[in-house]
């Protein structure tokens, strides 16, 4: 029986992951942008992949539930790769937190109901989550106990007014969400992990590079001295889904070319 693989967010990373791991399986692609979603599906179908699409508003609980139900009706869900999210220059702080943090909580909660032994969840976080030190103790406690609706009330109470702060807090939260979910997923014989990419050469990554001069400095002077590629992340996802990674769960893998360590060195 073909595996069902769900990928949210069909930007550069999502599409690269679909091409890397989707051969011979049922791909369910979900994105807020219906036009982009259909273009991706057409490209993959023409290349021989089996694709079904679902428009997704990750801020809407019913939309997330409908996505999970659509995937479950196709067969056993083998993996959920959650790449959907927005960067600091794309919206206001409240919306960044609602999409990146609350939306991710809804994905984890909702798909938990449909996973089984051997399922794997992979959440795309960010190196920004490794740079955040704001609200650490409060955020940590809340991630371990709150459902998405309660988490939203908590985040609103923090009154985060800067876009960069909202982004880093949301991505730190994603890392903590994975840690908090590992035990319950393990009870079903499933694993859940996060990946924290650095600056990746996607349209979103190029936009951030253009808007934030510090990123150009980092790329010129950091350990690897290049942007990451979507294929760098797709290769990591492929490994984490494999039996060779069967002992890895509840943790984050930083794939940033050494950028976080470099930035800590120059700013701390």
């Amino acid at each position: 029986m073909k595996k069902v693989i769900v990928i949210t967010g069909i930007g550069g990373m999502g599409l690269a992951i679909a091409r890397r791991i989707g051969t011979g399986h049922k791909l369910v692609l979900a994105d807020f942008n219906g036009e982009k979603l259909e273009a991706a599906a057409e490209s993959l179908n023409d290349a021989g992949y089996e694709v079904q699409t679902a428009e997704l508003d990750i801020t809407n609980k019913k939309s997330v539930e409908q996505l999970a139900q659509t995937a479950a009706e196709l067969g056993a869900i083998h993996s959920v790769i959650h790449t959907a999210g927005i960067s600091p220059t794309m919206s206001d702080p409240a919306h960044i937190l609602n999409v990146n943090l609350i939306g991710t909580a809804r994905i984890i909660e909702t798909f938990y109901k449909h996973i089984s032994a051997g399922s794997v969840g992979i959440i795309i976080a960010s190196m920004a989550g490794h740079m955040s030190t704001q609200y650490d103790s409060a955020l940590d406690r809340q991630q371990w106990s709150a459902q998405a609706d309660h988490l939203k009330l908590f985040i609103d109470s923090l009154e985060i007014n800067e876009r960069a702060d909202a982004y880093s807090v949301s991505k730190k939260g994603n890392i903590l969400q994975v840690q908090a979910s590992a035990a319950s997923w393990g009870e079903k014989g499933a694993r859940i992990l996060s990946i924290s990419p650095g600056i990746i050469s996607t349209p979103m990554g190029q936009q951030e590079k253009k808007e934030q001069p510090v990123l150009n400095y980092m790329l010129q002077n950091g350990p690897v001295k290049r942007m990451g590629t979507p294929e760098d992340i797709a290769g990591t996802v492929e490994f984490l889904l494999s039996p060779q990674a069967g002992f890895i769960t509840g943790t984050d893998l930083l794939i940033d070319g050494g950028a976080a360590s470099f930035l800590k060195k120059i700013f701390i």
Side-chain angles (χ1 to χ4, degrees):
M1 183 177 294
K2 293 181 179 179
K3 298 174 181 177
V4 177
I5 297 173
V6 181
I7 301 176
T8 69
I10 306 304
M13 279 191 283
L15 192 54
I17 291 166
R19 291 186 180 280
R20 186 68 171 258
I21 67 172
T23 302
H25 306 309
K26 296 178 180 179
L27 281 172
V28 180
L29 307 182
D31 199 279
F32 184 77
N33 186 322
E35 185 176 334
K36 182 172 69 174
L37 184 61
E38 292 307 317
E42 182 179 359
S43 173
L44 289 167
N45 279 319
D46 288 347
Y49 294 86
E50 183 177 344
V51 180
Q52 184 159 330
T53 61
E55 289 195 34
L56 173 66
D57 177 359
I58 200 171
T59 67
N60 184 294
K61 185 176 181 179
K62 290 183 178 180
S63 182
V64 176
E65 290 174 344
Q66 182 58 56
L67 169 63
Q69 187 61 40
T70 296
E73 288 172 357
L74 295 175
I77 296 175
H78 173 262
S79 50
V80 181
I81 298 96
H82 177 53
T83 80
I86 55 177
S87 63
T89 63
M90 294 177 68
S91 192
D92 59 82
H95 191 57
I96 290 169
L97 288 161
N98 203 24
V99 171
N100 291 355
L101 185 63
I102 311 305
T104 298
R106 295 201 190 285
I107 289 286
I108 294 172
E109 288 175 10
T110 303
F111 276 93
Y112 174 75
K113 303 169 187 175
H114 299 278
I115 59 171
S116 56
S119 298
V120 183
I122 297 179
I123 305 299
I124 299 299
S126 169
M127 72 173 188
H130 290 261
M131 306 300 294
S132 174
T133 57
Q134 289 186 295
Y135 316 108
D136 271 5
S137 59
L139 187 63
D140 200 344
R141 289 194 302 272
Q142 196 72 13
Q143 295 301 321
W144 287 86
S145 60
Q147 300 297 305
D149 291 337
H150 297 141
L151 180 59
K152 182 168 179 15
L153 293 174
F154 165 73
I155 288 297
D156 289 346
S157 74
L158 295 180
E159 298 183 351
I160 300 173
N161 298 314
E162 297 294 332
R163 293 181 299 175
D165 291 342
Y167 184 75
S168 62
V169 166
S170 71
K171 293 304 183 178
K172 175 66 174 291
N174 294 160
I175 295 168
L176 294 172
Q177 286 167 332
V178 163
Q179 294 175 8
S181 302
S184 59
W185 280 54
E187 289 172 0
K188 289 191 171 187
R191 297 184 293 120
I192 184 167
L193 312 103
S194 60
I195 295 173
S196 287
I199 306 304
I200 307 299
S201 188
T202 62
M204 185 185 296
Q206 292 288 354
Q207 178 175 325
E208 294 306 309
K209 177 175 173 286
K210 181 179 179 180
E211 297 288 335
Q212 300 188 54
V214 68
L215 299 183
N216 288 288
Y217 178 83
M218 178 193 72
L219 291 170
Q220 293 168 9
N221 298 280
V224 176
K225 296 180 176 60
R226 70 168 174 88
M227 296 184 78
T229 68
E231 288 71 25
D232 287 327
I233 305 304
T236 302
V237 169
E238 183 178 39
F239 165 68
L240 292 175
L241 294 178
S242 73
Q244 288 74 25
F247 201 52
I248 305 175
T249 192
T251 192
D252 180 75
L253 192 56
L254 182 60
I255 309 294
D256 70 338
S261 61
F262 176 73
L263 290 174
K264 286 180 180 179
K265 180 180 178 181
I266 63 175
F267 286 118
I268 295 178

